[in-house]
Amino acid sequence: MASADVAAVPMHTDKARENKHKADWRGWKFMWPFTVVFVFVFIIPIVYAIYISFFKKQMIGGTRFVGVENYARLLQDGQFWSSVGRVALFTCVQVPIMLFLSAAMALALDSMKLHGAKFFRISTFLPYAVPAVVSTLVWGFVYGAKYGLVGSFNDFFGTNVDVLQPSVLLGLHNISTWEFTGYNMLIFYSSLSTIPHSLYEAASIDGASEWQIVKSIKLPELKGSLAITVIFSIIGSFQLFNEPSILQNMVPGNAITTYYTPNMYAYNLSFSGNQSNYAAALAIVMAVITMAIAYAVQLKSMKEQMK
């Protein structure tokens, strides 16, 4: 019996080694539905956009290969860089204000001293559930100088106030902040919810004030979620399209041009100007710029967390 048991051990070991080196594809059985959709909806359109960006449609001769001509033209396109500068200004102003409000709301909810906390949480998140088109239409009618709330104000007081006349960007700031503050607030609040309450109790026993608890415990915990919200907000700001497109027909004059944002410029080039190849090059360049900025923010955040 002893010799049989000893002989069986190597066989069992050999089978275990054989199974260890054998590829296990069970995980891909769960992944393949998402992978197929991801490839067809995301990867293939990107590859196709890169492909057509090296071509140019001509009235005579049809479509021909032009290499990097579209990209060289884009570098000298004043309208493109004007739109990039506009969304960069929008990002630098709107994102800090929005994230500050989101963090303040999250801290207020986490303090456990806010009356009606559940209603406050739902009401602040509700604008995010409203489609961007509907939100822009609502705010557009509010801002309208000849109709809506501002128009009624002008008729009642005999004034001629036009909220959108000084700068349409101010209106866009307000709309985007109203839409996404609640979403970012929930991210911050979720991060604060992971802090053990024993830390608060220990700090209170040591005589720490509420502000000292916020400064020393809560704010450092928000660094990771802050990096995520900043990256998402930058990407969303550089993709600004719905809000200015809807407001374009609601603001006076030509305040919102066809190249007001890079996405609007690409859309009008492709569908109105029949320049889909040039629009594809524009989209690729904007994707590279956005990824570079987001990556720089991520690297800086990682360095801060490692300190």
Side-chain angles (χ1 to χ4, degrees):
M1 292 293 292
S3 60
D5 293 339
V6 171
V9 172
M11 295 177 61
H12 179 74
T13 305
D14 292 340
K15 289 182 179 180
R17 290 176 180 175
E18 182 181 352
N19 293 332
K20 182 178 179 181
H21 293 287
K22 187 178 180 180
D24 190 353
W25 297 96
R26 288 177 295 180
W28 285 101
K29 294 179 181 179
F30 296 95
M31 287 291 295
W32 76 262
F34 167 78
T35 304
V36 171
V37 174
F38 181 77
V39 169
F40 278 93
V41 175
F42 190 77
I43 300 299
I44 292 179
I46 291 178
V47 174
Y48 180 70
I50 296 174
Y51 171 76
I52 66 173
S53 68
F54 295 107
F55 292 83
K56 183 179 181 181
K57 289 183 179 179
Q58 296 179 330
M59 296 185 65
I60 300 176
T63 302
R64 68 181 182 89
F65 179 79
V66 294
V68 296
E69 181 180 323
N70 289 325
Y71 295 94
R73 173 189 169 189
L74 193 65
L75 294 177
Q76 301 175 354
D77 192 339
Q79 293 181 342
F80 168 70
W81 292 113
S82 173
S83 65
V84 173
R86 194 172 292 109
V87 295
L89 176 62
F90 174 85
T91 303
C92 292
V93 175
Q94 189 266 337
V95 171
I97 295 174
M98 177 184 64
L99 295 184
F100 173 79
L101 293 175
S102 300
M105 291 179 179
L107 290 171
L109 281 174
D110 191 67
S111 67
M112 302 294 181
K113 298 179 180 180
L114 187 67
H115 296 288
K118 292 183 179 179
F119 174 77
F120 179 79
R121 185 167 61 246
I122 294 174
S123 60
T124 52
F125 180 76
L126 188 61
Y128 179 74
V130 179
V133 175
V134 176
S135 301
T136 308
L137 286 173
V138 170
W139 282 103
F141 282 110
V142 170
Y143 289 146
K146 297 181 180 180
Y147 46 78
L149 183 61
V150 175
S152 300
F153 179 88
N154 289 333
D155 293 339
F156 184 81
F157 291 97
T159 57
N160 192 25
V161 177
D162 192 346
V163 179
L164 298 176
Q165 188 61 36
S167 176
V168 180
L169 274 179
L170 295 177
L172 293 174
H173 287 157
N174 182 62
I175 295 172
S176 297
T177 302
W178 182 79
E179 286 178 324
F180 298 103
T181 297
Y183 172 78
N184 292 293
M185 180 270 294
L186 285 183
I187 296 178
F188 288 136
Y189 182 65
S190 299
S191 181
L192 291 173
S193 300
T194 61
I195 302 176
H197 286 275
S198 58
L199 290 179
Y200 301 149
E201 296 174 358
S204 299
I205 293 173
D206 291 339
S209 63
E210 188 68 27
W211 166 244
Q212 289 174 331
I213 293 175
V214 170
K215 181 181 178 181
S216 302
I217 299 177
K218 294 185 178 181
L219 290 182
E221 186 66 25
L222 291 180
K223 287 184 178 180
S225 56
L226 179 62
I228 296 174
T229 53
V230 169
I231 292 173
F232 285 171
S233 299
I234 290 174
I235 295 173
S237 297
F238 273 81
Q239 292 178 345
L240 190 65
F241 177 78
N242 289 327
E243 291 82 0
S245 296
I246 300 300
L247 286 180
Q248 189 173 21
N249 297 324
M250 305 178 73
V251 297
N254 194 28
I256 299 180
T257 59
T258 56
Y259 56 91
Y260 194 77
T261 68
N263 275 8
M264 286 186 64
Y265 192 27
Y267 176 85
N268 286 287
L269 282 172
S270 182
F271 293 96
S272 299
N274 196 25
Q275 301 183 57
S276 56
N277 304 96
Y278 185 55
L282 188 155
I284 297 302
V285 171
M286 279 305 304
V288 172
I289 292 174
T290 306
M291 286 189 296
I293 296 175
Y295 184 66
V297 172
Q298 184 179 9
L299 284 181
K300 185 176 181 180
S301 173
M302 291 174 63
K303 290 180 180 179
E304 290 291 333
Q305 293 181 10
M306 292 176 64
K307 290 182 179 180

